[in-house]
Amino acid sequence: MQQNLKPLLIIDSRYTLYDLRQKRTYKYNTVLQKSFILLQQHFQILVIFCHSKSNTNEFFYNEFQKNFQGIDSKQLSIQELQNTSFQNQEIIVVTHNYEQFILNQKYQLYYFSSVSQQLDKKKQLELKYYQANPKSNFHISHIQQIMSYFSKSENPFCVGYYFYPKKFNELIQFDALISNNNFNYIPIDFRFYNKYIQINLLFHRLMDIYKKKEINMKQNEVELFQQNYDKFITENAQIPVIDSIECLKTLIQRDELNIKLQSIFSSPQFQNAIQEHQIKIMTPEQIVYDNNYQHQDLSNLKYPLIVKSKQGALTANCHIMAIVVNEKGLRELFKQEQFKGQLILQQIINHNSIIYKIYQLGSKMIVQKRKSIPNIEINNFKFEEGFYIFDTQKDLFKNVSQCLKQVDEGIHECSNEDQLLKQMELLSSIISKDFNLHLFGFDIIGMNWEFYIIDINHFPGYKNVENARELFEQLFIQVSKK
């Protein structure tokens, strides 16, 4: 029989493609489908379904057949797999359980890591694996990372990483976190402490472990994760981190962030730039209000307002905001479950539907101009309730337009954009230095000669940024040299 020229890629479907803890199919099928298309160009693929419970195995097998047509798959027991011979000269096996999911012939193991795996079993396997392979080139948490098979390096720069699935799938789509000739990427699970693992840099968005809707982690595991991260940082102070949790804490509370930004804008360095470029950047007027305990006088507020949670990240409602046009609307809004507790009441800045999205990736600043919400005028507001709730992660212009009687569809260009860009560059460099951040984004809105900064977000999406992978790699080297 003629041997297949492509390497054979055998994938253990358990955890690799499905979340077995919640007995459901993996929710990032679109990303996985793209990954399979890429892998098919380089590998002959065989997905094995070998769950010990036949009903579970049958369910996931049928789901795979439905969602991933054209990919060869089989239902085999572990024993049947061990008794099967394959004709390919090169064989790669991807599995989370490398002690049981084995072949009777030579193959390259890719050890797969998933936060959904049973913790004690995973801890036992991983510690044993890293005791033998302290700087492994074959530890992955997404099948697309198997593309590193074609990269050869004896001593690559080793980056340990943790990202929850949504952010990780953003990164994998522009080939970040795929090992190559110069960089090796190792997933780190801080639910247990791995004293054997060796890395040169830690790359993470660890605070996402507190996003209960985004990750599948029990409360005791979240606590273990934080404790072991703290222990790792203490015992490995020489390893650089992008970005440290301490540097992120100021970003979380919107009122504390506002105070920090005001100090930047009042600094001599920024005041000199205002005089030079004749453009003023500032923070919108705002107050903190706790509607659980306060009965504060609201009669002197200037409407319309934007109302949002005091905490700018890590909560389920941090992206839910409301437009309020009068005191009646504000008091009615306070009755809504999403608007309980500490809130920011902030003046609305009309800005002719233009928003500047600024992304900082290491030393590189990227500016993208986008369509924003239409101008808000009280006499143009549609709803008698006096408020309108919206989600900032959805189409802003379309979403907010629903609360207006008439909408100006046009975008009015900024006449002094060159001066504004110089101010943005200065502001971004100061934020990077003062907050000690390498990955962040912020929004600028306004018109004429007055502009406003709206929040700062750590590690925004970089999906529209050209050469993002190369920029990340440059950042890793830059930070390690410091």
Side-chain angles (χ1 to χ4, degrees):
M1 182 183 293
Q2 185 178 5
Q3 292 181 334
N4 196 302
L5 296 178
K6 288 183 179 180
L8 174 62
L9 174 59
I10 299 176
I11 300 174
D12 179 355
S13 67
R14 301 170 298 173
Y15 299 111
T16 313
L17 303 177
Y18 299 109
D19 185 346
L20 288 186
R21 182 186 282 191
Q22 292 194 355
K23 301 292 188 295
R24 70 183 185 191
T25 56
Y26 195 46
K27 64 180 179 179
Y28 294 100
N29 275 348
T30 302
V31 178
L32 280 173
Q33 285 164 352
K34 292 178 181 177
S35 298
F36 272 123
I37 290 171
L38 174 64
L39 291 170
Q40 278 183 304
Q41 298 173 25
H42 304 276
F43 299 96
Q44 177 191 351
I45 300 174
L46 175 61
V47 179
I48 301 295
F49 291 81
C50 56
H51 198 280
S52 57
K53 296 180 180 179
S54 57
N55 289 342
T56 303
N57 207 47
E58 185 73 23
F59 169 76
F60 284 124
Y61 176 75
N62 290 334
E63 286 294 313
F64 183 83
Q65 293 284 311
K66 184 168 59 178
N67 289 297
F68 301 96
Q69 297 177 7
I71 305 295
D72 194 13
S73 58
K74 290 183 179 179
Q75 296 187 69
L76 293 176
S77 68
I78 293 294
Q79 188 62 49
E80 288 172 330
L81 176 67
Q82 293 173 6
N83 293 333
T84 302
S85 294
F86 299 96
Q87 300 299 315
N88 303 66
Q89 287 185 329
E90 296 178 80
I91 301 175
I92 300 97
V93 169
V94 180
T95 181
H96 70 286
N97 193 341
Y98 58 85
E99 290 187 325
Q100 291 183 358
F101 194 94
I102 57 178
L103 308 183
N104 62 3
Q105 59 196 108
K106 185 179 178 182
Y107 61 91
Q108 173 62 61
L109 168 69
Y110 269 83
Y111 173 39
F112 191 89
S113 177
S114 168
V115 76
S116 296
Q117 292 166 233
Q118 200 277 330
L119 182 57
D120 291 339
K121 181 66 174 177
K122 183 184 181 185
K123 178 180 179 180
Q124 175 188 340
L125 284 167
E126 186 165 311
L127 292 178
K128 186 176 180 180
Y129 177 83
Y130 270 96
Q131 192 169 8
N133 305 281
K135 211 168 184 180
S136 171
N137 291 332
F138 304 102
H139 189 189
I140 62 173
S141 56
H142 194 283
I143 61 169
Q144 192 165 321
Q145 291 174 299
I146 298 162
M147 290 302 299
S148 66
Y149 180 74
F150 301 103
S151 300
K152 310 295 180 184
S153 179
E154 294 183 1
N155 190 30
F157 187 89
C158 194
V159 178
Y161 67 86
Y162 169 77
F163 296 98
Y164 74 116
K166 183 179 179 181
K167 174 56 69 174
F168 184 83
N169 276 276
E170 286 178 10
L171 293 169
I172 207 73
Q173 289 186 78
F174 46 76
D175 292 339
L177 305 181
I178 296 178
S179 299
N180 54 48
N181 290 338
N182 299 312
F183 293 87
N184 182 37
Y185 297 96
I186 294 178
I188 297 194
D189 188 342
F190 283 112
R191 291 180 298 168
F192 52 90
Y193 192 73
N194 190 336
K195 63 182 180 181
Y196 304 110
I197 206 163
Q198 295 180 13
I199 61 173
N200 301 108
L201 180 142
L202 179 61
F203 183 40
H204 73 88
R205 239 177 65 157
L206 192 78
M207 300 297 278
D208 289 331
I209 63 174
Y210 296 101
K211 292 184 174 180
K212 294 181 181 179
K213 286 190 173 182
E214 294 288 354
I215 65 166
N216 181 21
M217 204 183 287
K218 297 176 182 176
Q219 183 58 37
N220 69 308
E221 293 178 354
V222 171
E223 292 169 1
L224 283 171
F225 212 106
Q226 182 69 63
Q227 291 168 9
N228 286 314
Y229 169 84
D230 293 339
K231 181 179 179 182
F232 179 87
I233 295 300
T234 302
E235 295 184 1
N236 298 276
Q238 78 284 2
I239 294 178
V241 180
I242 302 176
D243 282 308
S244 80
I245 288 181
E246 289 303 314
C247 298
L248 303 178
K249 287 182 178 177
T250 308
L251 302 185
I252 295 172
Q253 300 299 333
R254 285 178 165 131
D255 57 333
E256 295 176 15
L257 174 59
N258 193 60
I259 293 170
K260 181 84 171 176
L261 287 170
Q262 286 176 347
S263 69
I264 290 175
F265 295 139
S266 61
S267 67
Q269 184 181 12
F270 211 83
Q271 288 298 314
N272 290 337
I274 290 174
Q275 292 181 6
E276 180 182 352
H277 303 302
Q278 299 299 310
I279 285 185
K280 190 175 183 181
I281 298 180
M282 50 198 147
T283 58
E285 292 182 16
Q286 64 179 45
I287 63 167
V288 179
Y289 185 82
D290 191 334
N291 64 4
N292 284 336
Y293 305 104
Q294 276 182 296
H295 296 285
Q296 190 172 324
D297 182 12
L298 301 176
S299 59
N300 294 324
L301 292 175
K302 296 179 181 178
Y303 297 92
L305 294 172
I306 285 280
V307 180
K308 50 191 172 183
S309 64
K310 177 175 172 284
Q311 191 162 316
L314 310 184
T315 63
N317 295 324
C318 63
H319 297 289
I320 304 299
M321 301 186 186
I323 295 167
V324 182
V325 296
N326 52 43
E327 185 176 342
K328 173 196 168 187
L330 189 58
R331 296 196 182 279
E332 288 297 315
L333 180 71
F334 289 161
K335 298 176 184 178
Q336 306 297 312
E337 192 60 36
Q338 307 104 302
F339 293 89
K340 297 292 185 184
Q342 293 185 314
L343 303 170
I344 298 290
L345 312 185
Q346 187 180 82
Q347 71 174 127
I348 281 183
I349 307 298
N350 283 330
H351 49 282
N352 289 338
S353 303
I354 297 176
I355 188 167
Y356 294 91
K357 312 277 298 180
I358 292 85
Y359 302 96
Q360 192 73 33
L361 202 170
S363 57
K364 177 76 171 178
M365 186 186 85
I366 303 101
V367 179
Q368 296 177 359
K369 185 165 64 174
R370 297 185 189 172
K371 195 169 187 178
S372 180
I373 66 173
N375 290 342
I376 308 294
E377 304 293 346
I378 294 175
N379 57 8
N380 192 34
F381 196 75
K382 187 187 296 183
F383 300 117
E384 293 182 2
E385 296 89 341
F387 70 88
Y388 176 73
I389 298 173
F390 64 100
D391 186 343
T392 60
Q393 292 191 316
K394 297 180 179 177
D395 186 327
L396 276 175
F397 188 89
K398 182 179 179 181
N399 207 340
V400 174
S401 294
Q402 295 178 28
C403 72
L404 302 177
K405 297 173 185 175
Q406 293 181 327
V407 178
D408 182 358
E409 297 282 352
I411 294 181
H412 308 275
E413 295 298 329
C414 176
S415 60
N416 47 4
E417 205 166 76
D418 290 342
Q419 296 100 310
L420 178 60
L421 287 172
K422 291 175 183 177
Q423 289 284 71
M424 291 176 184
E425 289 173 0
L426 174 61
L427 177 57
S428 197
S429 66
I430 294 175
I431 290 172
S432 180
K433 181 181 178 182
D434 285 15
F435 289 78
N436 195 21
L437 293 175
H438 302 91
L439 300 167
F440 61 91
F442 57 92
D443 298 340
I444 295 288
I445 61 173
M447 63 177 78
N448 301 325
W449 301 97
E450 292 188 346
F451 291 83
Y452 297 81
I453 183 171
I454 309 296
D455 289 338
I456 301 176
N457 301 306
H458 175 244
F459 211 141
Y462 292 103
K463 61 183 179 180
N464 295 320
V465 175
E466 293 183 4
N467 304 317
R469 190 194 75 186
E470 290 79 4
L471 291 172
F472 278 119
E473 292 176 352
Q474 290 171 16
L475 173 62
F476 300 152
I477 297 301
Q478 173 193 338
V479 171
S480 66
K481 286 181 178 178
K482 286 183 180 180

